[in-house]
Amino acid sequence: MTNQVSWGGEVDLKPGDLIEIFRTGYQHWAVYVGLGEVIHLTSADKCSEARAEAGSMKPLWAKKAMVKREPLSDAVGENKYRVSNKHDATYDVRTPDQIVSMAKKLEGQIVDYELITQNCEHFANSLRYDVARCDQVRNVLWLPMAKHLALLLLKI
């Protein structure tokens, strides 16, 4: 995994890499499919406005998403990004050809979207590892809850 963060495209990208995009208040995730393009989830009801809302949190509350292929520069906008294949040591990694083929087969489809259980990070991880996992949800919701539960149990 490279942790090099980029403003302007100097990160070394390989097909099948997971791209973590640092938007205001959250990270958006995409899969690099080669030739400067990514496939990612974007708001299904406002696909044409997605680029304009690249920094917005509005799409987080949607119930549907569209699987979209577009230039990495459009998906990133003015945000920083990095390659983040952070679970390669934990899970089996599909081949780049498998990841890219699966992503391209989903292109244009409207899929269910749930912030907690079916978001862009789940989508990207499921393509690379066949595991729908989201560390943002775990870190924001589950770890603080576990901490409070542990404190409650210690008081008993």
Side-chain angles (χ1 to χ4, degrees):
M1 175 179 94
T2 179
N3 284 320
Q4 181 182 6
V5 178
S6 174
W7 279 107
E10 61 274 3
V11 173
D12 183 32
L13 301 170
K14 297 174 191 71
D17 279 344
L18 301 186
I19 308 299
E20 183 177 15
I21 303 165
F22 298 93
R23 294 192 175 160
T24 304
Y26 70 103
Q27 287 78 45
H28 181 63
W29 289 79
V31 176
Y32 185 71
V33 295
L35 300 175
E37 293 186 322
V38 295
I39 291 181
H40 64 119
L41 296 183
T42 188
S43 176
D45 56 346
K46 294 193 176 188
C47 288
S48 62
E49 297 174 30
R51 189 177 309 140
E53 294 185 5
S56 168
M57 293 183 69
K58 192 174 183 180
L60 295 176
W61 311 114
K63 293 293 182 190
K64 296 286 183 182
M66 177 183 239
V67 180
K68 183 176 183 181
R69 178 167 43 171
E70 67 180 330
L72 174 63
S73 59
D74 288 351
V76 170
E78 298 294 320
N79 300 294
K80 289 185 178 183
Y81 69 94
R82 70 177 173 187
V83 172
S84 189
N85 301 322
K86 61 185 177 179
H87 298 299
D88 281 7
T90 305
Y91 302 113
D92 292 333
V93 180
R94 291 183 166 128
T95 68
D97 287 343
Q98 289 173 319
I99 297 165
V100 171
S101 174
M102 291 175 63
K104 286 181 176 179
K105 285 179 185 173
L106 294 170
E107 182 185 351
Q109 291 187 22
I110 303 295
V111 297
D112 290 335
Y113 181 92
E114 291 289 337
L115 180 61
I116 305 299
T117 60
Q118 293 175 292
N119 65 38
C120 60
E121 189 175 354
H122 290 102
F123 174 77
N125 280 316
S126 68
L127 286 170
R128 187 169 178 88
Y129 307 113
D130 194 25
V131 175
R133 174 185 175 141
C134 179
D135 294 334
Q136 289 179 91
V137 169
R138 192 194 78 187
N139 293 341
V140 170
L141 296 178
W142 305 122
L143 290 180
M145 286 180 11
K147 177 183 172 185
H148 290 297
L149 180 60
L151 290 173
L152 286 173
L153 291 173
L154 288 173
K155 291 181 182 181
I156 294 177

